[in-house]
Amino acid sequence: MAERNDICVIIPTYNNASTILRVVDETMKYCRHLIVVNDGSTDNTLELLKTLPYELQIISYPKNRGKGYALSRAFDWARTKDFRYAITLDSDGQHYPSDIPHFIRAIEEHPGAVIVGSRFLKQENMPRENTFANKFSNFWFALQTCKRLPDTQTGFRLYPIYRMNKMRLLTTRYETELEILVRLAWKGVPIVPLPIRVFYAPAGQRVTHFRKGRDFLRISLLNTVLTLSAFIYGYPSMLLRKWLKRS
């Protein structure tokens, strides 16, 4: 597949020294426009990134600020370089960069849309709490947007960042991806699910920075805010757009 100069790939990373080089190597086979955000890693992630022979953009800062903040920094940089779309994937080896061409084909069929990776949620080594969390998130997303998605929690997505210029995010950590999805739905941006593969390492080998208590609380608080905002802004905005299309 020919390279598209309006699409970049963003990989946020925090203490993923054991997987980051492999993920970058695989990603560079499918997209040469790569931004890696070192979100305050305390291991040797940054040192490893500096050994890579590729021309890639590394954004780094000393203190961990959260995945949402890392994505925001990368989106801002990408827009200054005139990228219109950004594919995001995780640095822990869970996602398969070989799925990137599927995202590119999908955006060619649905220009201007958000392409959201959709995992098969019943497979080997998948933590039970992931299935529950996704069903929980899917329910609230449907309530807030009147739209249904099979997987609202995956980090493997393609965003139309040119349609996010004026979006000022309220959140900075894992919940940011949900916030973006809901707010883009309110703006009338089409959201297209795309089946993807996913790898879950056995429990003893799995590396996760998700803090079950604190991060779940943050997501719950965000859902409360978004649900209230849906009645004030989201629903009226979606109804107005629907009415304008008919008139």
Side-chain angles (χ1 to χ4, degrees):
M1 179 172 289
E3 182 85 7
R4 279 189 52 162
N5 290 323
D6 62 340
I7 298 178
C8 65
V9 174
I10 296 170
I11 303 177
T13 186
Y14 173 63
N15 288 353
N16 288 122
S18 62
T19 55
I20 185 63
L21 293 186
R22 174 168 54 84
V23 173
V24 170
D25 281 336
E26 285 296 310
T27 301
M28 293 296 282
K29 296 177 183 178
Y30 303 98
C31 183
R32 307 296 294 183
H33 307 300
L34 179 57
I35 306 167
V36 180
V37 185
N38 174 45
D39 183 25
S41 296
T42 56
D43 61 6
N44 63 332
T45 292
L46 182 58
E47 288 72 19
L48 290 173
L49 288 171
K50 290 179 178 179
T51 68
L52 290 167
Y54 311 116
E55 290 185 13
L56 71 160
Q57 176 66 28
I58 300 174
I59 299 173
S60 184
Y61 38 88
K63 184 179 179 180
N64 177 256
R65 303 288 296 273
K67 187 178 184 181
Y69 179 84
L71 290 175
S72 295
R73 286 284 300 269
F75 291 153
D76 288 344
W77 188 90
R79 280 190 289 263
T80 67
K81 301 301 179 182
D82 297 324
F83 289 110
R84 289 171 59 81
Y85 299 98
I87 297 172
T88 63
L89 62 92
D90 294 344
S91 62
D92 59 1
Q94 180 183 132
H95 300 140
Y96 289 84
S98 55
D99 282 335
I100 288 173
H102 301 310
F103 281 86
I104 296 175
R105 278 191 287 268
I107 202 61
E108 288 173 347
E109 295 176 9
H110 306 278
V114 188
I115 311 299
V116 181
S118 180
R119 301 165 292 178
F120 178 63
L121 295 175
K122 293 181 180 179
Q123 63 181 58
E124 186 179 8
N125 296 323
M126 184 169 189
R128 288 183 179 180
E129 57 267 25
N130 284 36
T131 303
F132 168 77
N134 194 59
K135 290 180 178 179
F136 179 83
S137 181
N138 291 352
F139 167 79
W140 286 107
F141 177 79
L143 179 65
Q144 293 152 3
T145 66
C146 302
K147 301 178 187 297
R148 292 191 178 275
L149 279 179
D151 188 356
T152 55
Q153 288 210 310
T154 176
F156 205 171
R157 303 176 176 183
L158 186 152
Y159 292 103
I161 56 175
Y162 71 95
R163 305 185 76 168
M164 299 163 55
N165 285 336
K166 297 180 180 180
M167 186 178 290
R168 295 293 174 261
L169 298 172
L170 304 173
T171 57
T172 60
R173 296 193 175 273
Y174 284 107
E175 68 274 18
T176 296
E177 290 169 311
L178 176 61
E179 179 190 351
I180 294 174
L181 210 56
V182 170
R183 292 176 63 180
L184 286 177
W186 289 346
K187 287 169 64 71
V189 177
I191 301 175
V192 179
L194 176 72
I196 59 169
R197 296 170 296 157
V198 65
F199 170 75
Y200 287 102
Q205 302 174 26
R206 192 176 303 132
V207 177
T208 178
H209 303 297
F210 186 84
R211 300 163 297 182
K212 295 180 181 179
R214 188 179 303 179
D215 286 324
F216 189 77
L217 176 61
R218 293 172 71 97
I219 292 171
S220 298
L221 290 173
L222 174 64
N223 276 317
T224 301
V225 172
L226 291 176
T227 301
L228 293 173
S229 299
F231 287 96
I232 300 170
Y233 170 79
Y235 296 158
S237 179
M238 290 187 291
L239 287 172
L240 178 60
R241 284 188 173 84
K242 186 176 291 188
W243 181 79
L244 290 173
K245 282 184 179 180
R246 290 179 177 178
S247 60

